[in-house]
Amino acid sequence: VAAGGRGGGGSTLHGLQGDAKLLPLPGNHPEAAPAGQLGVNPLLIATLGLAVAAALVFAVWRYRNGAQHDAADPALPRVPGYRLLGPLGVGRTGSVYLAKDDAGATRAVKLIVPDPLAASEGAPGFPFEQLSSVVHPNVATPVERGEAEGQAFVALTYAPGEGLDALLAKEQLSVPQAVAVARGLAAGLAALHEAGLVHGDVKAANVIISGEGGEIAPGDAKLIDFGSVTVARQLDEPGRENLERALAGALGEGSALFTAASTSPEQVAGAPLDGRSDVYSLGLLLYEMLAGRPAFEGRLDTIVYQQLHGEPEPLAQLNPEAPDSLVALVDEMLSKDRESRPFMSQVVELLRALE
């Protein structure tokens, strides 16, 4: 009982004793208690103390697990079934937020921006069920999609860590680190290919690394973002000449309808895709990790031309520590003729042999 009532009148338990007879608590006798005081059961006090301590421990646990965000931030979008905690990143096809679902699981929620020149997880015909069936430790699998305030969203398993693009901006990976990352990604991509899917946008910005202390294992690399496809799929006449002319004439420096630096020749040419397109893109990423720079750089139209006709600087000259077998694998993955590239399952085995 509080010392002061809500009305501030000062009513107290002690003040009521003169008007009402108090019932004794079990184990206490009024005549044994000093006048004007109520007997107290020590066991009851101990129980209450334990309850308070347990409540404090639970409050600390909830705070450390994100309960400090229980109050909805009015600046963040509202998504049914999810509490958005803060932004994780922004891309051409949408914005990604850290979130908690109603069961308390941590998720990444992507709010999709409609783009007539790109497919997305929210687009009609997107193989969501097919993709969500792929459960692999190197893949951030989508678990749900829906609509929030007129905008499509998709929720994915959350992959904590640092973006590979941010990591590469700070330092060049060692050969063992690069091989570990590539093998993990190759294993995840092989699982997608077994499900009949092509990622279509394998690049450093779509990879999360969770390793700590400089140690990177294959399981530390996780592939994210499954909504991007090449612009070639959206063209009515995807011939090589038409696409090159459109890109060279309509797009200036810094503009891109797809990530040219990670695009396979068949994507640029608008040809039908299979898993070997991802093999080429993973080869570009492996080259970048080993060389410390992308295979092709420059204006968009220059990069597109190089993807179709050019060859990168020999990897052995840029990284003498790379073994010959690894250099040979990268060269095979970067073959312009996809018939000459290995399948992703073969890449996994070849990289495993290098570890």
Side-chain angles (χ1 to χ4, degrees):
V1 179
R6 292 184 180 179
S11 297
T12 64
L13 178 61
H14 181 74
L16 290 174
Q17 287 186 18
D19 299 321
K21 183 177 181 181
L22 298 176
L23 296 177
L25 294 174
N28 293 281
H29 299 281
E31 61 272 17
Q37 295 185 19
L38 180 66
V40 178
N41 188 330
L43 180 60
L44 178 62
I45 292 296
T47 302
L48 290 174
L50 289 174
V52 171
L56 289 174
V57 171
F58 181 68
V60 171
W61 178 86
R62 281 175 55 82
Y63 183 86
R64 290 179 176 177
N65 285 271
Q68 68 269 33
H69 298 282
D70 280 342
D73 186 342
L76 296 176
R78 296 182 179 274
V79 177
Y82 298 89
R83 186 176 68 255
L84 303 191
L85 308 181
L88 289 174
V90 179
R92 182 171 60 87
T93 60
S95 301
V96 183
Y97 296 86
L98 180 66
K100 294 276 190 180
D101 64 15
D102 288 341
T106 304
R107 301 295 188 196
V109 173
K110 178 180 179 181
L111 296 179
I112 300 167
V113 177
D115 188 340
L117 291 174
S120 71
E121 297 94 331
F126 182 83
F128 181 84
E129 289 72 21
Q130 196 174 354
L131 179 58
S132 61
S133 68
V134 178
V135 179
H136 192 277
N138 296 106
V139 176
T141 306
V143 296
E144 182 184 4
R145 67 173 175 175
E147 189 172 293
E149 300 178 348
Q151 187 173 10
F153 76 87
V154 61
L156 304 95
T157 53
Y158 174 58
E162 183 178 17
L164 180 57
D165 55 341
L167 185 60
L168 293 178
K170 295 187 298 185
E171 60 187 65
Q172 181 177 344
L173 299 187
S174 67
V175 171
Q177 289 175 326
V179 170
V181 171
R183 183 161 82 82
L185 296 178
L189 288 166
L192 290 177
H193 297 170
E194 289 176 6
L197 300 172
V198 178
H199 186 276
D201 197 18
V202 180
K203 60 183 179 182
N206 285 340
V207 176
I208 295 293
I209 304 297
S210 59
E212 297 181 356
E215 298 294 329
I216 299 177
D220 294 331
K222 183 161 289 193
L223 193 64
I224 62 172
D225 198 333
F226 303 91
S228 297
V229 296
T230 65
V231 67
R233 285 188 173 185
Q234 307 300 320
L235 295 178
D236 294 331
E237 297 180 16
R240 179 174 299 186
E241 291 184 4
N242 291 337
L243 183 60
E244 283 188 285
R245 189 184 309 116
L247 291 171
L251 299 177
E253 186 174 1
S255 299
L257 298 183
F258 59 84
T259 310
S262 62
T263 304
S264 69
E266 55 267 34
Q267 281 179 293
V268 173
L273 303 179
D274 62 19
R276 289 170 293 182
S277 176
D278 286 340
V279 169
Y280 184 93
S281 296
L282 181 60
L284 289 171
L285 180 55
L286 183 51
Y287 181 101
E288 181 179 356
M289 290 189 289
L290 293 168
R293 70 185 196 198
F296 304 115
E297 298 179 282
R299 289 173 51 92
L300 177 61
D301 53 350
T302 301
I303 295 176
V304 168
Y305 182 86
Q306 291 295 323
Q307 298 289 22
L308 290 169
H309 308 294
E311 297 294 337
E313 187 175 348
L315 182 57
Q317 296 180 10
L318 298 176
N319 190 339
E321 296 182 4
D324 293 342
S325 55
L326 179 57
V327 173
L329 174 59
V330 174
D331 289 343
E332 290 181 18
M333 295 173 72
L334 294 181
S335 173
K336 304 299 184 185
D337 178 12
R338 64 180 171 188
E339 299 297 330
S340 300
R341 298 176 208 149
F343 289 98
M344 195 64 76
S345 57
Q346 295 173 305
V347 173
V348 174
E349 295 305 319
L350 290 169
L351 288 171
R352 181 180 287 117
L354 288 167
E355 288 186 319

